[in-house]
Amino acid sequence: MLPHHINGQRVMSQSTSHGPVHNPATGEIIHQVPFATPVEIETAIETAEKAHREWSITSLAERARLMFAFKNLLDKNTDALAELITLEHGKTHADARASIQRGIDVVEYACGAPNLLKSAYSERVGRDVDCYGLRQSLGICVGITPFNFPAMIPLWMYPLALICGNAFIHKPSEKDPSTALLLADLLYEAGAPKGLLNVVHGDKTVVDALICHPKVKAVSFVGSSTVAEHIYQSASLHNKRVQAFGSAKNHCLVMDDADLDDAANAILGAAYGSCGQRCMAIPVVVTVSDKTADALIQRLAPAARDFIIGPGNNDKTVLGPLNTAESLARVQKYLDIGVKEGAKLIVDGRKATHPKEGFFIGASLFDAVTPEMAIYQDEIFGPVLCILRAPDYETALSWINAHRYGNGTAIFTQSGEIAHDFAARVQIGMVGINVPIPVPVGYHTFGGWKYSAFGDLGLHGPDGIQFYSQLKTITSRWPKGRNVHGFTLPTH
Ligand code: NAD
């Protein structure tokens, strides 16, 4: 049974309720993960509350120093973290390392705490009156994270929450929970005071208890849209500050003037990398002519058929397993649905050669997909790429804008005019121009639009600081004389 991480140490759970953690490359159950009891949740809350009291009055330099030390330990332990990710998630070691690096980027940003928490000061807003802002901590913040990035997404949350003076409770995915424990070990090795970060495992019951707890002030969620919507509504009802990021169906528009070799290479990685289990993956390609669609398929299909499929800890592997047997069943179901809907299955991943055990499936490629098909509308979250043939740019743009998800999109073109128009008019939160996976760098903000995100502020970058701190505005007068008696609102 895996432990929780409470008050600075790994602690065994007393829970009788738990779930299995699989190695997706073999299908074996390698751990049981406990679902926290109400007492364990309360202990985590109490220790976080105590830690917050002291931590919120530490100097910004001290908070930054913790982040520098944490960053160094993350660098040193990248391989150990990546091995855990590969073991429980299934993605390749190289991909796991890259995802950790994208998390470390945000820790590096958090090292700038003294600068990030500066606020405005206006001298003489009236005679002898100054006005200034204080960015203060909220208290206890909770982060609920998905299975597909066990290190990166938590690292997009708590480094910023902590430098803002908060304490944090992390509820990792029950499918690959071990990485969260190692991250917590490293934060404490870096010198975090006891209780500053607590890792509590669980399912829906634990999540609901955390997000509605009267002592929790802010909730950050990343996962599927149906759960994101539930979290957003319940946490808002309980008067929490909340941001909830959900599912995606990201389109890549390939114009006729694009460099097709470059576009095809980029699409292969973006569609099939991490076995299609990325919220910024590209599961849809739209072309504006049959000529470009045919030319792309000529490049994509043979490559997709030839991927080396195997465990993520083998250096030669391109496509690792899906994370669970349910994910595998879902992908297989959508391949059947697509065929029934009339799409052309050019590459059928079920026919690929792969290890017998584990949750493996090859890459699939559908052509002649149309907007009303379920394989286009739904998030499949597997290695399935759909090609849609639009008659022109305006139709392609209208399809992208009409889709209910709005996380990311990309355009491949050599025309600055089209790229500019696309960036201006597309109704999507993150846009790549000749960049297939436009996940913003740590010092910019990540966030989708439409049914892909709930709440006003994005993850990391300046929005992260705003989300995890509250602004207090002080108007102050230090006169020699006295306030003048008056019943009208003061003006200057
Ligand atoms: P999920 O929604 O099943 O689970 C996410 C988290 O919520 C987990 O910690 C899980 O334990 C918890 N949870 C699950 N069901 C719950 C419920 N009914 N009530 C309360 N909590 C619940 O998502 P997942 O399968 O772990 O991750 C894949 C999904 O996450 C995909 O839809 C993907 O697009 C999305 N995702 C989005 C982003 C983004 O930034 N927008 C990033 C990564 C993943």
Side-chain angles (χ1 to χ4, degrees), residues 18-22 28-33 35 174-177:
H18 47 84
V21 180
H22 290 90
E28 288 165 310
I29 295 176
I30 48 173
H31 299 297
Q32 291 291 332
V33 60
F35 298 162
E174 66 278 27
K175 292 171 190 156
D176 47 14

Side-chain angles (χ1 to χ4, degrees), residues 334-357:
Y334 273 104
L335 293 177
D336 287 337
I337 290 175
V339 172
K340 271 195 207 120
E341 286 177 319
K344 255 196 248 171
L345 187 54
I346 294 183
V347 182
D348 184 346
R350 292 169 296 193
K351 296 185 178 152
T353 309
H354 56 70
K356 281 212 176 77
E357 310 301 328

Side-chain angles (χ1 to χ4, degrees), residues 145-148 171 174 204 221-224 246-247 279 379 446:
T145 55
F147 80 86
N148 65 332
K171 206 303 283 172
E174 66 278 27
K204 177 179 170 25
F221 171 87
V222 179
S224 55
S247 312
C279 67
E379 184 189 52
F446 178 104

Side-chain angles (χ1 to χ4, degrees), residues 144-149 152-153 156 171-175 202-205 207-208 211 221-228 230-231 244-248 277-280 330 379 381 407 430 446-448 452-453 459:
I144 298 133
T145 55
F147 80 86
N148 65 332
F149 286 107
M152 181 181 85
I153 290 182
W156 286 3
K171 206 303 283 172
S173 169
E174 66 278 27
K175 292 171 190 156
D203 57 359
K204 177 179 170 25
T205 314
V207 171
D208 285 340
I211 65 171
F221 171 87
V222 179
S224 55
S225 285
T226 40
V227 182
H230 156 72
I231 300 271
F245 302 92
S247 312
Q277 298 170 113
R278 292 184 186 135
C279 67
M280 289 293 277
R330 188 183 59 241
E379 184 189 52
F381 222 55
N407 216 36
M430 292 168 282
F446 178 104
S452 291
L459 278 164

Side-chain angles (χ1 to χ4, degrees), residues 85 154 219 273 308 319 408 433 449-450 456 489:
I85 294 175
V219 174
I308 297 172
L319 212 60
I433 297 173
W449 285 11
K450 299 189 279 190
D456 300 332
L489 195 66

